[in-house]
Amino acid sequence: MFRAPIRSFSSTARRSLKIGLIPADGIGKEVIPAARQAIEALGSDIPKPEFIDLLAGWEVFTKTGVALPDETVDILRNECDCALFGSVSSPSRKVVGYSSPIVALRKKLDLYANIRPVVSVAPEVGQQPSVDLIVVRENTECLYVKQETQTEGEKGKEARATRVITEYASRRIGQMAFELANARPRKHLTIIHKSNVLSITDGLFRETVRAVPTLPAVAGKYDGVTIAEQLVDSAVYRLFREPEVFDVMVAPNLYGDIISDAAAALVGSLGLIPSINAGDNFVMGEPVHGSAPDIEGKGIANPLASIRSAALMLRHLGYVKGADRLDNAVDAVIRDGRILTPDLKGTSTTDEVLQAVLKQL
């Protein structure tokens, strides 16, 4: 896997690294503390970490009526350099007053890019992984603007959802994707869309991303990047049949969400897939798995995605040595294969896997 910072913020002036911790719901309360211990084990490879515990989630909503307290947002904006978010147990039914806190955080902090690497671990150190791709997902619009209505009509209840695609959001996620593709050996970018059906919304996304290399501010910078396109339905098919054709994939919000979860099956488990929510001034790591209520409290949640998310967050901040150590430790545990959680067909506990990672560090 070619590991490089996506868009590093300046790290030279920091004597400490203030990290907001938002475990939220379910197994988030088990895997985020594991990521904290892994970060603390890095020692002098990063500035001294200082952790701030913050609240958000469905459980907080049931107690207070607010899923994302203003205090959490204010502390992230004014006191933290970065953050780690666990998982949310959002209900599948409509609950008056409730809205997903992770979706709200992405908008409030303008974390417009969700970046999800999906990489297999090669059997031997130095070998090339069989799967090595990154899904770059626009994080602020599409159907996730949550503008829905329900009315009574001649055919009974009628529900409608507004889908928003803007040139502004498409351009900046496109530039993030080109930046990432340009830093990788293959320099290949695939634009995911469905403009053969949604010619206006997906058409705008497609055209805007394709036009990024022609922008005056980046003229000539991405000349080495090869551009491809794939309809979203056939992209899922090709992911399973020939994942090697993909390098960097850029997609609107909903497609990116679905594709990245599907891609996790290629490497064995959602419990291995990290992500960051990134903007121009802030980054928040987030394991891709959900709150997993069926295993909550059993001590068998896989902590590796949260540790990898911490590594991705640190890499984005410019702390490459620390990020490499975390990634290499996780890879070594997976490659060894003796200490793995049940989602990877193992019998180990969350803490046993964490201790194996700490031993590698």
Side-chain angles (χ1 to χ4, degrees):
M1 177 177 62
F2 181 75
R3 296 166 175 156
I6 294 159
R7 184 176 293 176
S8 295
F9 307 143
S10 174
S11 60
T12 55
R14 291 192 183 97
R15 294 185 178 179
S16 66
L17 190 63
K18 293 187 177 181
I19 305 172
L21 296 180
I22 314 170
D25 302 314
I27 62 170
K29 289 178 281 188
E30 301 169 50
V31 298
I32 293 302
R36 171 178 177 161
Q37 289 191 56
I39 292 171
E40 289 174 324
L42 293 176
S44 60
D45 285 336
I46 61 172
K48 180 181 179 182
E50 297 179 16
F51 299 95
I52 303 175
D53 295 317
L54 300 170
L55 296 175
W58 171 250
E59 185 177 319
V60 174
F61 176 81
T62 61
K63 293 178 180 178
T64 67
V66 177
L68 180 61
D70 290 339
E71 181 183 17
T72 294
V73 179
D74 291 341
I75 291 174
L76 289 173
R77 279 178 174 157
N78 301 314
E79 298 183 31
C80 294
D81 299 305
C82 55
L84 285 173
F85 188 96
S87 57
V88 175
S89 297
S90 292
S92 56
R93 69 189 188 283
K94 180 179 180 181
V95 176
V96 176
Y98 178 82
S99 182
S100 170
I102 185 61
V103 174
L105 269 174
R106 290 166 180 165
K107 292 179 180 178
K108 288 179 181 293
L109 299 176
D110 199 25
L111 305 178
Y112 60 86
N114 187 265
I115 299 165
R116 298 182 173 186
V118 180
V119 184
S120 59
V121 175
E124 301 291 338
V125 177
Q127 290 183 347
Q128 292 299 309
S130 58
V131 178
D132 185 358
L133 60 90
I134 300 178
V135 179
V136 183
R137 165 188 169 194
E138 203 290 315
N139 228 6
T140 64
E141 50 183 35
C142 191
L143 283 171
Y144 287 23
V145 296
K146 295 179 68 66
Q147 295 177 9
E148 296 182 287
T149 60
Q150 182 174 293
T151 60
E152 291 287 345
E154 294 181 0
K155 299 179 180 179
K157 292 180 180 179
E158 181 176 293
R160 294 177 180 269
T162 298
R163 184 175 194 250
V164 177
I165 300 289
T166 66
E167 186 178 27
Y168 171 75
S170 300
R171 181 183 297 118
R172 64 179 182 173
I173 197 64
Q175 189 164 348
M176 180 75 84
F178 271 101
E179 196 75 24
L180 182 54
N182 198 46
R184 288 166 64 86
R186 287 183 58 192
K187 300 183 184 297
H188 185 77
L189 177 66
T190 305
I191 305 169
I192 306 299
H193 61 83
K194 190 67 176 175
S195 60
N196 60 327
V197 176
L198 301 170
S199 59
I200 296 177
T201 50
D202 274 19
L204 177 61
F205 181 84
R206 170 188 173 275
E207 294 160 9
T208 304
V209 174
R210 285 198 71 97
V212 164
T214 66
L215 295 173
V218 296
K221 185 176 182 181
Y222 306 129
D223 287 350
V225 176
T226 302
I227 305 172
E229 297 182 25
Q230 193 78 53
L231 298 178
V232 62
D233 45 352
S234 59
V236 175
Y237 177 80
R238 294 194 77 187
L239 264 177
F240 289 111
R241 291 297 297 260
E242 43 184 345
E244 67 278 1
V245 304
F246 296 111
D247 184 22
V248 177
M249 308 168 75
V250 61
N253 206 336
L254 177 62
Y255 302 160
D257 194 2
I258 295 170
I259 286 172
S260 54
D261 277 17
L266 298 170
V267 296
S269 172
L270 278 170
L272 295 176
I273 307 301
S275 79
I276 54 170
N277 301 278
D280 292 330
N281 301 296
F282 198 80
V283 59
M284 180 170 65
E286 178 195 2
V288 169
H289 60 68
S291 60
D294 57 322
I295 62 169
E296 178 183 357
K298 295 182 178 180
I300 57 172
N302 191 338
L304 297 181
S306 66
I307 296 171
R308 280 180 161 175
S309 295
L312 198 58
M313 177 188 74
L314 292 174
R315 192 178 304 283
H316 198 78
L317 290 168
Y319 302 112
V320 177
K321 185 176 181 180
D324 281 346
R325 287 184 63 200
L326 288 180
D327 280 328
N328 291 337
V330 169
D331 288 355
V333 170
I334 296 171
R335 190 176 288 116
D336 178 76
R338 290 177 295 175
I339 304 176
L340 299 173
T341 43
D343 59 307
L344 294 173
K345 304 187 185 309
T347 59
S348 302
T349 66
T350 305
D351 187 64
E352 286 170 341
V353 173
L354 169 62
Q355 295 306 318
V357 172
L358 296 180
K359 183 178 179 180
Q360 290 293 333
L361 288 172

